[in-house]
Amino acid sequence: MRRYLQLAVITVAAGAIYPLLYLRQNFEVSMLETFDITATQLGQCNAILGVLFVVTYLPSGWLADRIRPRFLMSLSLLAAGLLGLWFAAAPSFAELRLIYAGWGIATGLTFWSAHIKAVAVLAEEKEQGRFFGVLDGGRGLIEALLATVAIALFAYWLTGLGRPTDAALRTVIWLYAGNMLVLAPVVLLTVDDNRAEGGDRRAASLRETARDLRLVLSKPEIWLAALCIMAGYQLFFATYALSAYMQQNFGLTAVTAGMITVAKQWMRPLGAIGAGFVGDYWGRERVLSTLLVFGSAALASLAVLPLDAAAPVLLAIVLAVGLITYAVRGIYWATLERCDVPDRVKGFAVGVISLVGYAPDIYLPLIRGELVDRIPGQWGYGIYFLGIAAFGLVGAAAAWRLGRRVR
């Protein structure tokens, strides 16, 4: 019960800390209006976030091997929540870049590897799929609940009270920031992370650190797992564009597009948890490879969907994309156990895999911003979606190869 309590608290924390960073998923057009910026400028903010994630992944892994996860996670929630209050003030573009930089440090350096390692050490080998499935699915459930409340608040302020878009968006930001500030002390006081220590907490020498890093880098399985996560994360990242894609090309209102993307988020618990349990029984790499193929096909179909397609067809494809991409996310971190690294350097392994796997945080926002601005209409988004779908097939091949090496 103690292990499952830890998993529950970590899951709630992970579900509360990231939605504000990716507010554009449901409110992109409203953000552009409120902050008076272009899609390219918003892409630059997200690219800053991605650069800092990449820069901090390795130090994050080193910290996770030496500092208790509850301290790191609590600090992250506090810092991200305070930055959210600043974000709600609709600051200038220069200040927005500072806020996104702060979020990159708070959620990349002190949160990411700590929460992944804590779950990896909590789960037994035969439970890796379901534990990470519950982590991502539960996180998705929290995000979906928050997003549902956020859309309802936004719609009420915008249409019920007749308030301007910036005022409606501000209430949404307060909702997300307030949740993080409330959870910071809860994580600190309730998480018993003795089992998640796993490593030597004394100050490691440079030679020891280099030795641990060489051990992680020498394993081919690490690189295959990183390629799987990179492909899966790109498919997931493409879903951040769906709200703006539907508004700008299918003529949907901000509220309607937001409702569809929130409905998509409700696919996350089903997809992630289901994939985790199925992967534990049928083979994680086999299931991951199959999901990457189907996810690529679903995203490609959305790219070429006729603009006069019926709303139910659009909704069905968006929900299918969401279900499959969330299933991929629910199982791809279960490949960490296949990499056969000891617990004392598992944080380092998370850092190395994340360095490669989440590199799309840097270039995808820039690519998307340039494509949408330079090629208006459906084809700007279509090229973006089709390129990501093609790389998804590369990830499927990597998952298949990893499975063969494990067997």
Side-chain angles (χ1 to χ4, degrees):
M1 289 304 298
R2 181 175 296 178
R3 289 197 304 141
Y4 285 105
L5 175 62
Q6 288 188 64
L7 178 62
V9 174
I10 293 168
T11 298
V12 172
I17 197 170
Y18 287 104
L20 187 55
L21 282 63
Y22 298 104
L23 192 65
R24 68 185 300 179
Q25 180 178 9
N26 297 324
F27 299 100
E28 177 167 339
V29 175
S30 299
M31 288 177 67
L32 300 181
E33 178 183 338
T34 298
F35 297 111
D36 192 24
I37 56 177
T38 65
T40 298
Q41 288 176 315
L42 184 57
Q44 290 173 4
C45 289
N46 282 104
I48 290 171
L49 199 64
V51 169
L52 282 165
F53 280 164
V54 170
V55 169
T56 58
Y57 278 139
L58 278 180
S60 172
W62 184 87
L63 280 176
D65 286 335
R66 285 162 179 83
I67 300 177
R68 292 183 182 276
R70 63 190 176 100
F71 291 126
L72 295 173
M73 291 187 290
S74 181
L75 177 62
S76 298
L77 289 162
L78 177 63
L82 292 175
L83 287 168
L85 297 181
W86 184 10
F87 189 60
S92 66
F93 177 56
E95 291 175 297
L96 281 178
R97 287 181 292 183
L98 290 176
I99 291 171
Y100 275 84
W103 277 336
I105 294 171
T107 60
L109 180 64
T110 55
F111 189 87
W112 181 252
S113 292
H115 96 285
I116 292 291
K117 178 182 176 178
V119 174
V121 176
L122 282 173
E124 303 294 341
E125 195 281 333
K126 65 180 183 297
E127 301 172 327
Q128 292 288 321
R130 70 196 70 173
F131 264 58
F132 277 108
V134 170
L135 172 66
D136 199 77
R139 170 184 166 183
L141 178 61
I142 298 300
E143 291 184 4
L145 288 170
L146 289 174
T148 301
V149 175
I151 285 290
L153 273 176
F154 183 79
Y156 175 70
W157 278 70
L158 196 64
T159 61
L161 299 180
R163 302 295 298 275
T165 300
D166 60 338
L169 188 64
R170 188 173 295 115
T171 62
V172 171
I173 298 171
W174 285 340
L175 170 70
Y176 285 122
N179 273 282
M180 287 187 277
L181 295 175
V182 169
L183 280 169
V186 172
V187 170
L188 183 64
L189 296 174
T190 61
V191 173
D192 176 13
D193 52 12
N194 290 328
R195 281 180 56 91
E197 290 183 7
D200 184 359
R201 296 188 182 279
R202 63 186 171 82
S205 67
L206 183 60
R207 178 178 297 178
E208 290 170 324
T209 301
R211 177 202 64 198
D212 292 342
L213 185 58
R214 282 197 303 271
L215 172 64
V216 171
L217 295 178
S218 66
K219 291 184 172 292
E221 292 85 357
I222 290 285
W223 300 104
L224 288 171
L227 196 57
C228 293
I229 290 177
M230 186 180 191
Y233 186 66
Q234 287 189 147
L235 286 173
F236 169 75
F237 201 96
T239 65
Y240 288 145
L242 295 183
S243 176
Y245 178 58
M246 291 185 291
Q247 282 185 252
Q248 295 172 2
N249 294 281
F250 291 87
L252 302 185
T253 65
V255 173
T256 303
M259 291 174 66
I260 291 177
T261 54
V262 168
K264 171 190 67 69
Q265 287 182 256
W266 281 99
M267 297 294 101
R268 189 167 184 175
L270 179 62
I273 297 174
F277 277 89
V278 171
D280 279 342
Y281 289 103
W282 286 358
R284 298 161 203 160
E285 293 76 24
R286 183 183 296 111
V287 172
L288 178 58
S289 180
T290 303
L291 287 170
L292 284 168
V293 171
F294 280 106
S296 298
L299 187 63
S301 69
L302 186 64
V304 297
L305 186 69
L307 297 182
D308 59 352
V313 175
L314 179 62
L315 175 62
I317 295 178
V318 169
L319 292 182
V321 169
L323 180 67
I324 298 171
T325 56
Y326 288 138
V328 170
R329 281 184 62 105
I331 199 173
Y332 63 26
W333 269 111
T335 58
L336 177 62
E337 187 67 24
R338 302 299 204 185
C339 298
D340 191 29
V341 293
D343 286 346
R344 66 179 178 81
V345 294
K346 198 155 277 183
F348 246 149
V350 172
V352 170
I353 293 174
S354 300
L355 188 65
V356 178
Y358 294 98
D361 273 325
I362 298 177
Y363 58 80
L364 283 186
L366 297 176
I367 291 173
R368 178 190 160 195
E370 288 293 328
L371 282 173
V372 171
D373 287 342
R374 292 178 180 271
I375 311 176
Q378 185 181 25
W379 277 111
Y381 285 98
I383 295 171
Y384 177 70
F385 291 151
L386 290 172
I388 291 174
F391 196 88
L393 300 179
V394 176
W400 176 81
R401 178 60 180 164
L402 178 60
R404 290 202 61 178
R405 288 189 64 88
V406 169
R407 287 192 294 275

